[in-house]
Amino acid sequence: MRHNVKSYGASSFIDSTKAIQETIDACNLAGGGSVYLPTGTYHVTYLTLPGAITFYGDNPYASTLQSLTATEDVLTVTGRGCRICNLGFKSTPPRTAGRYLYLTPTSRATYIDNFLMEGSYIGIGVNTSATCDIEHGEIINGS
């Protein structure tokens, strides 16, 4: 089942953290599926992605998660079988710590494809126990 973040109140004009997390949680309660971010820039602080969810946008230049903090991890994957595709990541304040994407020790078989990360402190953090495939990405002005 596909869950559109705009159906839960996400907008390019407000902090959409709560609406996007509610979309993710509803998808998880339904047993998995996909969370879709239509074209737009979504301002967020911190999101958690449990297993068996595809989290995706239209393309990394059109569907963007924009961090509102300089230090928090933006998207943390905690479960198995997640897919993160066609998304961009940016930050409003200059990043001084944290990652745009963090894979915890419990995340397994995560697939990340077609992404853009701009102005990152650390783009992707992968715990040594996590397993993932990363393809077709670009990290600009990051470490």
Side-chain angles (χ1 to χ4, degrees):
M1 173 179 252
R2 182 172 111 162
H3 300 262
N4 186 323
V5 297
K6 288 192 173 187
S7 298
Y8 290 80
S11 166
S12 294
F13 305 106
I14 60 170
D15 179 349
S16 292
T17 304
K18 183 178 178 193
I20 294 173
Q21 189 63 57
E22 286 176 357
T23 311
I24 292 168
D25 294 344
C27 185
N28 186 48
L29 285 173
S34 61
V35 172
Y36 171 60
L37 287 85
T39 295
T41 299
Y42 301 93
H43 301 85
V44 298
T45 52
Y46 178 86
L47 300 168
T48 302
L49 191 63
I53 292 176
T54 297
F55 192 70
Y56 73 103
D58 289 321
N59 72 64
Y61 300 96
S63 299
T64 303
L65 290 176
Q66 181 143 354
S67 175
L68 293 172
T69 73
T71 59
E72 294 289 325
D73 294 334
V74 177
L75 181 61
T76 299
V77 179
T78 60
R80 300 178 64 90
C82 289
R83 297 175 58 87
I84 301 160
C85 308
N86 303 325
L87 286 175
F89 296 83
K90 293 182 181 180
S91 184
T92 300
R95 305 279 299 164
T96 57
R99 299 151 285 224
Y100 282 138
L101 180 59
Y102 176 56
L103 307 181
T104 68
T106 56
S107 63
R108 299 277 195 271
T110 302
Y111 178 72
I112 306 161
D113 187 27
N114 198 26
F115 65 90
L116 171 66
M117 295 180 175
E118 295 184 67
S120 62
Y121 181 75
I122 298 174
I124 302 171
V126 181
N127 186 284
T128 56
S129 301
T131 58
C132 67
D133 290 320
I134 302 172
E135 297 183 4
H136 310 109
E138 186 175 3
I139 300 175
I140 301 171
N141 296 326
S143 53

